[in-house]
Amino acid sequence: MTENAEATRMSTPPEGQPSTNHPASPAATAHTTHHGHEGTFVRPSDLLRPRTVSRPKAPPKPERPIDRDERTGLKAIRDFLRVRNCYEVLPLSFRLIELDVGLTVKESLNIMVQCNIVSAPLWDSTTSTYAGLLTVNDYLNVVRYYNLHADKLKDVDKLLLTDLKEVEKFLNVKPPETVSASPETVLYDALRKQLLSRARRIPLVSYDSDTQRTMVVSVITQYRILKFIAMNVKETEMLRKPLEMIKLGTYGNIVRCSMDTTVLDVIDEMVVKNISSVPVVTTEGVLLNVFEAVDVIEILKTGDYGNLTWTVGKALAARSPTHPGIYCCSLEDGLDTIFDTIRKSRVHRLMIVDENNYLKGVLSLGDILHYILVEGQEDAQS
Ligand code: ATP
């Protein structure tokens, strides 16, 4: 291509729009070339007239039944989320355990273990206000802090929940993003907001006009939302497209560990990569188990931070016998079967494996929610 021709291509007006270029300019040449009349003289009026002949468009491919069903299934879920509010996600009866920010980290751990919970809203009784969420990430930060500050370990039992902000600052980690919503917020709106923020939970905070105070009603998790969908939207059955086809989940650069990796190293990886689990594999890549961030709570409950030099194998062996185990699926599975599993069991993530149990990918609940809310949205808007 000559230099002139290159310039021509750059200045061609968009189809159907009049050009303001001079006829002798390269743009004019391009116009004629386009129609296969190379060398023909073009009058300015030709260029000003909107073109009537448009390039024939390829006829749209007929939609395959599997694509149509997927689209219908996703639409049904979104329509459902648009007519439900956050309050409706909560079960008929539930408990809320709120922790006062004046508690020590050790006390909070004991409560978490006793009540079998992995996160709790914080309450500042000096101001009678909601003070954020305590999650397992806070404990991971504490572990990393004492790992760098072994000299301070003797005072670990005195560490208060209010000190966690200092720990974050010291480690230079961003405070966790939280998106609270009022219980009346439309579920779809609350979820879109959550998606933008990368928060994993939504505390429902309501305002009491009598006392003029805010109070936390509950916290909704990704699992609870997906379970709510699984229980109420029959069209989840239509989401038959295999994971491989919809490219759902993470397949590249999966953070893995072996049974011999130390818990401390796994914690570092989870914090740095901002993930909540690490699959445990053999040297060949066969999936053996999954180390979860919540496993750290069990290990820390004795207050013995020395236990973190444990290997992953030892930590997994110390799990409660009632641990539900891990959930797996294959690349051929669609969200229909995955929703079926969510309907029946308390799933927090799925490991994607092949028929020989080789680890292929990780499917998190966040990945599923993102797909449900976002997939095909651009097409629908255009
Ligand atoms: P949570 O499980 O805490 O509710 P989540 O559903 O967002 O949150 P994460 O484990 O934090 O799940 O995963 C965040 C992203 O990282 C997801 O896209 C997930 O596929 C990916 N991911 C999860 N675990 C790993 C891992 N071990 N290696 C690489 N990527 C991972």
PDB file of all heavy atoms in Angstrom, residues 198 200 222 249-250 253-255 274-279 348-349 362 364-367, ligand 1:
ATOM      1  N   ARG A 198     -16.811  -5.376  44.076  1.00  0.00           N
ATOM      2  CA  ARG A 198     -16.071  -6.593  44.428  1.00  0.00           C
ATOM      3  C   ARG A 198     -16.264  -6.988  45.896  1.00  0.00           C
ATOM      4  O   ARG A 198     -15.498  -7.769  46.450  1.00  0.00           O
ATOM      5  CB  ARG A 198     -14.560  -6.478  44.135  1.00  0.00           C
ATOM      6  CG  ARG A 198     -14.201  -6.485  42.694  1.00  0.00           C
ATOM      7  CD  ARG A 198     -14.395  -7.850  42.013  1.00  0.00           C
ATOM      8  NE  ARG A 198     -13.624  -8.926  42.615  1.00  0.00           N
ATOM      9  CZ  ARG A 198     -14.162 -10.077  42.998  1.00  0.00           C
ATOM     10  NH1 ARG A 198     -15.439 -10.298  42.871  1.00  0.00           N
ATOM     11  NH2 ARG A 198     -13.418 -11.018  43.521  1.00  0.00           N
ATOM     12  N   ARG A 200     -18.110  -9.110  48.739  1.00  0.00           N
ATOM     13  CA  ARG A 200     -18.664 -10.468  48.622  1.00  0.00           C
ATOM     14  C   ARG A 200     -19.930 -10.680  49.437  1.00  0.00           C
ATOM     15  O   ARG A 200     -20.543 -11.722  49.354  1.00  0.00           O
ATOM     16  CB  ARG A 200     -17.621 -11.478  49.089  1.00  0.00           C
ATOM     17  CG  ARG A 200     -16.805 -12.106  48.014  1.00  0.00           C
ATOM     18  CD  ARG A 200     -15.621 -11.291  47.629  1.00  0.00           C
ATOM     19  NE  ARG A 200     -14.677 -12.058  46.839  1.00  0.00           N
ATOM     20  CZ  ARG A 200     -13.384 -11.881  46.851  1.00  0.00           C
ATOM     21  NH1 ARG A 200     -12.871 -10.944  47.592  1.00  0.00           N
ATOM     22  NH2 ARG A 200     -12.607 -12.611  46.092  1.00  0.00           N
ATOM     23  N   GLN A 222     -23.270 -14.448  48.835  1.00  0.00           N
ATOM     24  CA  GLN A 222     -23.433 -14.882  47.437  1.00  0.00           C
ATOM     25  C   GLN A 222     -24.147 -16.240  47.405  1.00  0.00           C
ATOM     26  O   GLN A 222     -24.988 -16.493  46.552  1.00  0.00           O
ATOM     27  CB  GLN A 222     -22.073 -14.993  46.762  1.00  0.00           C
ATOM     28  CG  GLN A 222     -21.271 -13.715  46.863  1.00  0.00           C
ATOM     29  CD  GLN A 222     -20.075 -13.673  45.929  1.00  0.00           C
ATOM     30  OE1 GLN A 222     -20.074 -12.938  44.962  1.00  0.00           O
ATOM     31  NE2 GLN A 222     -19.065 -14.458  46.207  1.00  0.00           N
ATOM     32  N   GLY A 249     -15.631 -19.368  34.715  1.00  0.00           N
ATOM     33  CA  GLY A 249     -14.672 -19.895  35.682  1.00  0.00           C
ATOM     34  C   GLY A 249     -13.279 -19.387  35.353  1.00  0.00           C
ATOM     35  O   GLY A 249     -13.084 -18.660  34.378  1.00  0.00           O
ATOM     36  N   THR A 250     -12.312 -19.777  36.182  1.00  0.00           N
ATOM     37  CA  THR A 250     -10.917 -19.385  35.942  1.00  0.00           C
ATOM     38  C   THR A 250     -10.132 -20.629  35.550  1.00  0.00           C
ATOM     39  O   THR A 250     -10.217 -21.654  36.230  1.00  0.00           O
ATOM     40  CB  THR A 250     -10.327 -18.750  37.218  1.00  0.00           C
ATOM     41  OG1 THR A 250     -11.100 -17.592  37.524  1.00  0.00           O
ATOM     42  CG2 THR A 250      -8.885 -18.333  37.020  1.00  0.00           C
ATOM     43  N   ASN A 253      -3.457 -19.783  35.205  1.00  0.00           N
ATOM     44  CA  ASN A 253      -2.761 -19.341  36.427  1.00  0.00           C
ATOM     45  C   ASN A 253      -3.510 -19.685  37.711  1.00  0.00           C
ATOM     46  O   ASN A 253      -3.697 -18.818  38.573  1.00  0.00           O
ATOM     47  CB  ASN A 253      -2.526 -17.827  36.389  1.00  0.00           C
ATOM     48  CG  ASN A 253      -1.695 -17.425  35.211  1.00  0.00           C
ATOM     49  OD1 ASN A 253      -0.795 -18.165  34.803  1.00  0.00           O
ATOM     50  ND2 ASN A 253      -2.000 -16.279  34.627  1.00  0.00           N
ATOM     51  N   ILE A 254      -3.949 -20.893  37.810  1.00  0.00           N
ATOM     52  CA  ILE A 254      -4.656 -21.284  39.041  1.00  0.00           C
ATOM     53  C   ILE A 254      -3.634 -21.431  40.170  1.00  0.00           C
ATOM     54  O   ILE A 254      -2.603 -22.077  39.996  1.00  0.00           O
ATOM     55  CB  ILE A 254      -5.417 -22.607  38.837  1.00  0.00           C
ATOM     56  CG1 ILE A 254      -6.455 -22.428  37.744  1.00  0.00           C
ATOM     57  CG2 ILE A 254      -6.092 -23.044  40.133  1.00  0.00           C
ATOM     58  CD1 ILE A 254      -7.169 -23.685  37.382  1.00  0.00           C
ATOM     59  N   VAL A 255      -3.939 -20.785  41.277  1.00  0.00           N
ATOM     60  CA  VAL A 255      -3.063 -20.913  42.440  1.00  0.00           C
ATOM     61  C   VAL A 255      -3.355 -22.267  43.083  1.00  0.00           C
ATOM     62  O   VAL A 255      -4.495 -22.544  43.437  1.00  0.00           O
ATOM     63  CB  VAL A 255      -3.342 -19.777  43.454  1.00  0.00           C
ATOM     64  CG1 VAL A 255      -2.423 -19.888  44.647  1.00  0.00           C
ATOM     65  CG2 VAL A 255      -3.224 -18.421  42.783  1.00  0.00           C
ATOM     66  N   ASN A 274      -6.198 -12.328  46.335  1.00  0.00           N
ATOM     67  CA  ASN A 274      -7.586 -11.998  46.670  1.00  0.00           C
ATOM     68  C   ASN A 274      -8.547 -13.133  46.308  1.00  0.00           C
ATOM     69  O   ASN A 274      -9.547 -12.936  45.614  1.00  0.00           O
ATOM     70  CB  ASN A 274      -7.973 -10.701  45.943  1.00  0.00           C
ATOM     71  CG  ASN A 274      -9.188 -10.063  46.562  1.00  0.00           C
ATOM     72  OD1 ASN A 274      -9.570 -10.417  47.679  1.00  0.00           O
ATOM     73  ND2 ASN A 274      -9.831  -9.160  45.832  1.00  0.00           N
ATOM     74  N   ILE A 275      -8.219 -14.325  46.766  1.00  0.00           N
ATOM     75  CA  ILE A 275      -9.066 -15.499  46.517  1.00  0.00           C
ATOM     76  C   ILE A 275      -9.367 -16.179  47.845  1.00  0.00           C
ATOM     77  O   ILE A 275      -8.654 -15.961  48.826  1.00  0.00           O
ATOM     78  CB  ILE A 275      -8.372 -16.510  45.559  1.00  0.00           C
ATOM     79  CG1 ILE A 275      -6.945 -16.804  46.035  1.00  0.00           C
ATOM     80  CG2 ILE A 275      -8.374 -15.991  44.131  1.00  0.00           C
ATOM     81  CD1 ILE A 275      -6.217 -17.855  45.215  1.00  0.00           C
ATOM     82  N   SER A 276     -10.414 -16.977  47.864  1.00  0.00           N
ATOM     83  CA  SER A 276     -10.811 -17.557  49.148  1.00  0.00           C
ATOM     84  C   SER A 276     -10.514 -19.049  49.260  1.00  0.00           C
ATOM     85  O   SER A 276     -10.899 -19.667  50.248  1.00  0.00           O
ATOM     86  CB  SER A 276     -12.297 -17.303  49.382  1.00  0.00           C
ATOM     87  OG  SER A 276     -13.044 -18.019  48.426  1.00  0.00           O
ATOM     88  N   SER A 277      -9.865 -19.625  48.255  1.00  0.00           N
ATOM     89  CA  SER A 277      -9.519 -21.044  48.385  1.00  0.00           C
ATOM     90  C   SER A 277      -8.356 -21.390  47.460  1.00  0.00           C
ATOM     91  O   SER A 277      -8.138 -20.708  46.453  1.00  0.00           O
ATOM     92  CB  SER A 277     -10.716 -21.923  48.034  1.00  0.00           C
ATOM     93  OG  SER A 277     -10.927 -21.905  46.648  1.00  0.00           O
ATOM     94  N   VAL A 278      -7.651 -22.428  47.834  1.00  0.00           N
ATOM     95  CA  VAL A 278      -6.527 -22.904  47.013  1.00  0.00           C
ATOM     96  C   VAL A 278      -6.644 -24.432  46.878  1.00  0.00           C
ATOM     97  O   VAL A 278      -6.623 -25.149  47.883  1.00  0.00           O
ATOM     98  CB  VAL A 278      -5.169 -22.515  47.660  1.00  0.00           C
ATOM     99  CG1 VAL A 278      -4.003 -23.097  46.877  1.00  0.00           C
ATOM    100  CG2 VAL A 278      -5.025 -21.002  47.732  1.00  0.00           C
ATOM    101  N   PRO A 279      -6.788 -24.925  45.640  1.00  0.00           N
ATOM    102  CA  PRO A 279      -6.876 -26.373  45.463  1.00  0.00           C
ATOM    103  C   PRO A 279      -5.562 -27.068  45.828  1.00  0.00           C
ATOM    104  O   PRO A 279      -4.481 -26.535  45.566  1.00  0.00           O
ATOM    105  CB  PRO A 279      -7.165 -26.542  43.962  1.00  0.00           C
ATOM    106  CG  PRO A 279      -7.270 -25.186  43.378  1.00  0.00           C
ATOM    107  CD  PRO A 279      -6.941 -24.162  44.401  1.00  0.00           C
ATOM    108  N   HIS A 348     -19.807 -23.666  48.181  1.00  0.00           N
ATOM    109  CA  HIS A 348     -19.149 -22.355  48.209  1.00  0.00           C
ATOM    110  C   HIS A 348     -18.288 -22.098  46.988  1.00  0.00           C
ATOM    111  O   HIS A 348     -17.882 -20.976  46.712  1.00  0.00           O
ATOM    112  CB  HIS A 348     -18.338 -22.191  49.491  1.00  0.00           C
ATOM    113  CG  HIS A 348     -19.248 -22.084  50.673  1.00  0.00           C
ATOM    114  ND1 HIS A 348     -20.055 -20.993  50.881  1.00  0.00           N
ATOM    115  CD2 HIS A 348     -19.540 -22.950  51.652  1.00  0.00           C
ATOM    116  CE1 HIS A 348     -20.793 -21.182  51.956  1.00  0.00           C
ATOM    117  NE2 HIS A 348     -20.499 -22.365  52.443  1.00  0.00           N
ATOM    118  N   ARG A 349     -17.994 -23.148  46.273  1.00  0.00           N
ATOM    119  CA  ARG A 349     -17.241 -23.044  45.011  1.00  0.00           C
ATOM    120  C   ARG A 349     -17.214 -24.435  44.417  1.00  0.00           C
ATOM    121  O   ARG A 349     -17.503 -25.409  45.121  1.00  0.00           O
ATOM    122  CB  ARG A 349     -15.807 -22.547  45.241  1.00  0.00           C
ATOM    123  CG  ARG A 349     -14.943 -23.505  46.006  1.00  0.00           C
ATOM    124  CD  ARG A 349     -13.694 -22.864  46.483  1.00  0.00           C
ATOM    125  NE  ARG A 349     -13.921 -21.715  47.352  1.00  0.00           N
ATOM    126  CZ  ARG A 349     -14.269 -21.784  48.641  1.00  0.00           C
ATOM    127  NH1 ARG A 349     -14.441 -22.959  49.217  1.00  0.00           N
ATOM    128  NH2 ARG A 349     -14.449 -20.706  49.356  1.00  0.00           N
ATOM    129  N   VAL A 362     -11.392 -23.324  38.298  1.00  0.00           N
ATOM    130  CA  VAL A 362     -12.101 -23.022  39.544  1.00  0.00           C
ATOM    131  C   VAL A 362     -13.334 -22.200  39.189  1.00  0.00           C
ATOM    132  O   VAL A 362     -13.242 -21.243  38.406  1.00  0.00           O
ATOM    133  CB  VAL A 362     -11.203 -22.191  40.504  1.00  0.00           C
ATOM    134  CG1 VAL A 362     -11.957 -21.815  41.772  1.00  0.00           C
ATOM    135  CG2 VAL A 362      -9.925 -22.939  40.843  1.00  0.00           C
ATOM    136  N   SER A 364     -16.088 -19.987  41.015  1.00  0.00           N
ATOM    137  CA  SER A 364     -16.510 -19.412  42.303  1.00  0.00           C
ATOM    138  C   SER A 364     -17.958 -18.943  42.199  1.00  0.00           C
ATOM    139  O   SER A 364     -18.486 -18.756  41.094  1.00  0.00           O
ATOM    140  CB  SER A 364     -15.588 -18.244  42.681  1.00  0.00           C
ATOM    141  OG  SER A 364     -15.918 -17.106  41.923  1.00  0.00           O
ATOM    142  N   LEU A 365     -18.566 -18.721  43.348  1.00  0.00           N
ATOM    143  CA  LEU A 365     -19.954 -18.238  43.346  1.00  0.00           C
ATOM    144  C   LEU A 365     -20.005 -16.832  42.731  1.00  0.00           C
ATOM    145  O   LEU A 365     -20.964 -16.472  42.051  1.00  0.00           O
ATOM    146  CB  LEU A 365     -20.514 -18.217  44.767  1.00  0.00           C
ATOM    147  CG  LEU A 365     -20.563 -19.578  45.486  1.00  0.00           C
ATOM    148  CD1 LEU A 365     -21.338 -19.461  46.798  1.00  0.00           C
ATOM    149  CD2 LEU A 365     -21.192 -20.663  44.613  1.00  0.00           C
ATOM    150  N   GLY A 366     -18.931 -16.079  42.945  1.00  0.00           N
ATOM    151  CA  GLY A 366     -18.848 -14.742  42.344  1.00  0.00           C
ATOM    152  C   GLY A 366     -18.851 -14.831  40.819  1.00  0.00           C
ATOM    153  O   GLY A 366     -19.475 -14.009  40.138  1.00  0.00           O
ATOM    154  N   ASP A 367     -18.164 -15.840  40.265  1.00  0.00           N
ATOM    155  CA  ASP A 367     -18.146 -16.024  38.805  1.00  0.00           C
ATOM    156  C   ASP A 367     -19.574 -16.269  38.303  1.00  0.00           C
ATOM    157  O   ASP A 367     -19.981 -15.720  37.273  1.00  0.00           O
ATOM    158  CB  ASP A 367     -17.295 -17.256  38.416  1.00  0.00           C
ATOM    159  CG  ASP A 367     -15.811 -17.075  38.709  1.00  0.00           C
ATOM    160  OD1 ASP A 367     -15.345 -15.929  38.689  1.00  0.00           O
ATOM    161  OD2 ASP A 367     -15.129 -18.091  38.945  1.00  0.00           O
TER     162      ASP A 367
HETATM  163  P1  ATP B   1     -15.970 -15.849  48.043  1.00  0.00           P
HETATM  164  O1  ATP B   1     -15.632 -17.274  47.674  1.00  0.00           O
HETATM  165  O2  ATP B   1     -15.031 -15.255  49.063  1.00  0.00           O
HETATM  166  O3  ATP B   1     -17.420 -15.665  48.394  1.00  0.00           O
HETATM  167  P2  ATP B   1     -15.727 -15.265  45.199  1.00  0.00           P
HETATM  168  O4  ATP B   1     -16.957 -16.035  44.877  1.00  0.00           O
HETATM  169  O5  ATP B   1     -15.479 -14.005  44.448  1.00  0.00           O
HETATM  170  O6  ATP B   1     -15.701 -14.925  46.757  1.00  0.00           O
HETATM  171  P3  ATP B   1     -12.963 -16.064  45.108  1.00  0.00           P
HETATM  172  O7  ATP B   1     -12.352 -17.333  45.613  1.00  0.00           O
HETATM  173  O8  ATP B   1     -12.598 -14.840  45.860  1.00  0.00           O
HETATM  174  O9  ATP B   1     -14.515 -16.272  45.032  1.00  0.00           O
HETATM  175  O10 ATP B   1     -12.570 -15.918  43.567  1.00  0.00           O
HETATM  176  C1  ATP B   1     -12.333 -14.674  42.948  1.00  0.00           C
HETATM  177  C2  ATP B   1     -11.934 -14.963  41.492  1.00  0.00           C
HETATM  178  O11 ATP B   1     -10.713 -15.698  41.490  1.00  0.00           O
HETATM  179  C3  ATP B   1     -12.924 -15.824  40.711  1.00  0.00           C
HETATM  180  O12 ATP B   1     -12.956 -15.365  39.368  1.00  0.00           O
HETATM  181  C4  ATP B   1     -12.345 -17.232  40.777  1.00  0.00           C
HETATM  182  O13 ATP B   1     -12.655 -18.023  39.614  1.00  0.00           O
HETATM  183  C5  ATP B   1     -10.866 -16.966  40.847  1.00  0.00           C
HETATM  184  N1  ATP B   1     -10.181 -17.949  41.713  1.00  0.00           N
HETATM  185  C6  ATP B   1     -10.646 -18.543  42.832  1.00  0.00           C
HETATM  186  N2  ATP B   1      -9.746 -19.389  43.353  1.00  0.00           N
HETATM  187  C7  ATP B   1      -8.666 -19.334  42.542  1.00  0.00           C
HETATM  188  C8  ATP B   1      -7.380 -19.974  42.539  1.00  0.00           C
HETATM  189  N3  ATP B   1      -7.028 -20.843  43.460  1.00  0.00           N
HETATM  190  N4  ATP B   1      -6.530 -19.662  41.526  1.00  0.00           N
HETATM  191  C9  ATP B   1      -6.862 -18.753  40.574  1.00  0.00           C
HETATM  192  N5  ATP B   1      -8.046 -18.130  40.532  1.00  0.00           N
HETATM  193  C10 ATP B   1      -8.950 -18.405  41.488  1.00  0.00           C
END
